[in-house]
Amino acid sequence: MITNVGFILGKLHRVVEGAFFQLQYWPLTSALMLLILNIFLRGSSRRIKIIWSALFVVLDGFFFLVLLPEVTARIKLFADLAVNWAYFGLTWFIGCALATLILAAVWLAAMILGKMLRLFSYEKAVSRAVFYGAFTGSMLLTFVVVLLGCGYYNIVYDKIVLKNWQGDKSIRIAFVSDTHLGFDDNVQKLSVVCDELISTKCDIALFGGDFVDDMTMLPQAISELRRLAEKLPQGVLFVNGNGDCTDGNWRDTKQKLLANNIIVLSNKVVNIADIQHPLLVVGVEYASLNNGNAFNPELQKKYLATAVAGLKNSDPKILLAHTPDLIESALPYHFDIMLFGHTHGGQVDLGFYRFMSREYQYISGKYEKGDSTIFVSNGIGQWFPARVNVPQQIYIIDVYPGK
């Protein structure tokens, strides 16, 4: 049931985030919103209505252009604005949509109860006061969950000493997961993240899957990864996630990553230290069913067994995979570090309840289990543009030899 709902929501999200939707339906939706919002300005002067409508159209048009990849890809001004203004645009659009839904419900209830049943005055319900309250409240709520929740990411620093690794120097690892580049996030944000990893002098970047949702962004996104790989001493390693497998896109994405000097670990091992004192990264591909985003747990265990074949339990090694569903199966192999994404930390934590906490035992943060230190990242993208008490994050981990 959960898988089916997730599949349907994923399909809907990809439709909404696509350029076709933005071009076709954003303007129409905005026109409908403006019409309903203006109904509640009963009694206002014509001048006020004109000023308000003009302001709405200008802001809506500006944010529409900033959020549209086809525009930011061609016009430098909007590309430069995109990182800083994308979440303002989402806040504006979602806030207006929420206010419109509230006012439409009030309007409908007022028509039924006021006109037909005569329980109260229709004019009092459809008024400027109701408009101001619904619009202001919707914008404040959206500001909190979209702009404050999704507009920023934290860099979480950590350090680990590996007792069984006798390397000559430490290695700084960046772990980035679930970028979900699409309607909610753009390539400009990825560019900022890459600049951050370069400036913090990371030796290598590990990407944990769910890279691009809107495939029109893939060429630019891969160009940013190539740029990052050229700047970091050990380059960029990549494993796929369920989002990368959607609609059979993974084969094409994989070929393009490999062609741009990105190391794709499909059940493979790579040494990121020297030959005398190796430190291994074991990458496990997401076990998709029929090249889609449905998860196959038994196939995932086979992928893991294939990846670790020939390795010893005593070998210093890091597991890079998309989903923490793999943790219990991986513990017998004595990984020193495990890195996962996928959960987004649940995205919404209300204190008494965290979304998806019942589905995932390991949902967010750092865990110690057996011989392993486990990191489950909140990621830097989202399924839907809202985060509450679950900030976006990047892990930067300094790994020290145990001598």
Side-chain angles (χ1 to χ4, degrees):
M1 177 64 181
I2 293 176
T3 302
N4 291 336
V5 172
F7 177 76
I8 293 170
L9 290 176
K11 283 283 188 182
L12 179 61
H13 185 262
R14 286 189 296 280
V15 170
V16 170
E17 78 195 357
F20 179 79
F21 174 88
Q22 294 179 55
L23 285 169
Q24 293 284 92
Y25 299 115
W26 180 313
L28 294 176
T29 303
S30 295
L32 178 62
M33 289 193 299
L34 181 58
L35 176 63
I36 293 176
L37 292 172
N38 278 350
I39 288 173
F40 282 78
L41 290 178
R42 290 164 53 95
S44 299
S45 67
R46 184 179 179 184
R47 182 179 180 184
I48 290 177
K49 286 185 177 181
I50 291 174
I51 293 174
W52 150 251
S53 299
L55 179 64
F56 181 97
V57 170
V58 169
L59 287 175
D60 198 69
F62 172 75
F63 289 129
F64 169 71
L65 292 175
V66 169
L67 285 166
L68 191 65
E70 282 68 16
V71 173
T72 57
R74 291 172 172 80
I75 302 177
K76 186 177 184 302
L77 171 63
F78 288 103
D80 293 339
L81 289 172
V83 174
N84 297 321
W85 287 95
Y87 288 109
F88 282 103
L90 286 171
T91 299
W92 166 258
F93 187 78
I94 294 173
C96 288
L98 180 59
T100 301
L101 289 174
I102 293 171
L103 293 176
V106 171
W107 184 25
L108 182 61
M111 288 179 64
I112 295 173
L113 299 177
K115 291 288 187 181
M116 296 181 182
L117 303 181
R118 302 185 184 281
L119 294 182
F120 61 89
S121 171
Y122 174 83
E123 286 74 16
K124 289 183 179 179
V126 183
S127 65
R128 284 177 291 176
V130 175
F131 166 80
Y132 292 136
F135 190 81
T136 303
S138 297
M139 281 298 175
L140 288 175
L141 178 61
T142 309
F143 178 86
V144 171
V145 298
V146 176
L147 186 62
L148 297 185
C150 303
Y152 308 92
Y153 61 84
N154 296 333
I155 297 182
V156 182
Y157 290 90
D158 209 318
K159 62 180 181 180
I160 297 177
V161 177
L162 302 187
K163 296 179 181 179
N164 57 340
W165 179 45
Q166 303 301 314
D168 294 327
K169 61 179 181 178
S170 64
I171 293 179
R172 172 163 280 193
I173 296 172
F175 175 50
V176 182
S177 188
D178 297 271
T179 51
H180 285 286
L181 301 180
F183 181 61
D184 302 343
D185 280 308
N186 49 44
V187 178
Q188 286 72 31
K189 179 181 178 181
L190 177 64
S191 179
V192 171
V193 169
C194 291
D195 289 339
E196 191 89 52
L197 301 187
I198 294 168
S199 67
T200 52
K201 301 187 183 303
C202 293
D203 294 300
I204 189 169
L206 278 57
F207 278 75
D210 280 7
F211 184 43
V212 173
D213 291 339
D214 183 348
M215 296 304 291
T216 63
M217 295 188 183
L218 184 64
Q220 285 182 287
I222 290 179
S223 294
E224 287 298 326
L225 287 195
R226 183 182 65 226
R227 180 175 70 89
L228 179 63
E230 291 170 351
K231 294 290 185 179
L232 302 186
Q234 299 293 336
V236 174
L237 306 184
F238 189 102
V239 295
N240 68 337
N242 58 296
D244 303 305
C245 299
T246 302
D247 298 330
N249 290 324
W250 171 236
R251 291 191 183 96
D252 181 55
T253 300
K254 181 179 179 180
Q255 292 304 315
K256 290 177 179 177
L257 288 166
L258 292 171
N260 283 273
N261 300 321
I262 310 303
I263 301 172
V264 179
L265 294 181
S266 295
N267 312 320
K268 295 181 179 179
V269 180
V270 65
N271 177 21
I272 62 172
D274 56 75
I275 298 176
Q276 291 78 17
H277 306 289
L279 175 59
L280 308 177
V281 176
V282 180
V284 178
E285 184 172 329
Y286 182 83
S288 63
L289 189 63
N290 299 325
N291 201 33
N293 67 352
F295 181 60
N296 187 328
E298 294 305 314
L299 182 60
Q300 190 73 93
K301 292 177 184 178
K302 291 180 181 179
Y303 283 173
L304 175 62
T306 299
V308 299
L311 301 184
K312 302 175 184 177
N313 286 344
S314 59
D315 290 334
K317 52 189 178 291
I318 298 168
L319 174 62
L320 174 64
H322 182 63
T323 173
D325 288 305
L326 197 58
I327 289 175
E328 296 300 328
S329 301
L331 287 173
Y333 296 107
H334 300 275
F335 287 97
D336 297 278
I337 301 171
M338 298 188 197
L339 302 172
F340 303 97
H342 185 56
T343 66
H344 297 208
Q347 280 201 201
V348 175
D349 182 4
L350 302 177
F352 60 89
Y353 175 73
R354 184 192 289 256
F355 184 59
M356 297 187 71
S357 60
R358 295 178 182 176
E359 186 173 352
Y360 293 99
Q361 179 182 356
Y362 307 91
I363 192 167
S364 175
K366 182 179 179 181
Y367 304 87
E368 301 289 342
K369 184 83 172 180
D371 299 325
S372 302
T373 301
I374 302 166
F375 295 90
V376 181
S377 173
N378 295 342
I380 60 168
Q382 42 273 328
W383 301 302
F384 50 88
R387 281 183 180 264
V388 179
N389 293 327
V390 185
Q392 300 178 70
Q393 61 185 195
I394 296 170
Y395 276 105
I396 293 182
I397 305 167
D398 291 309
V399 181
Y400 292 89
K403 60 181 182 179

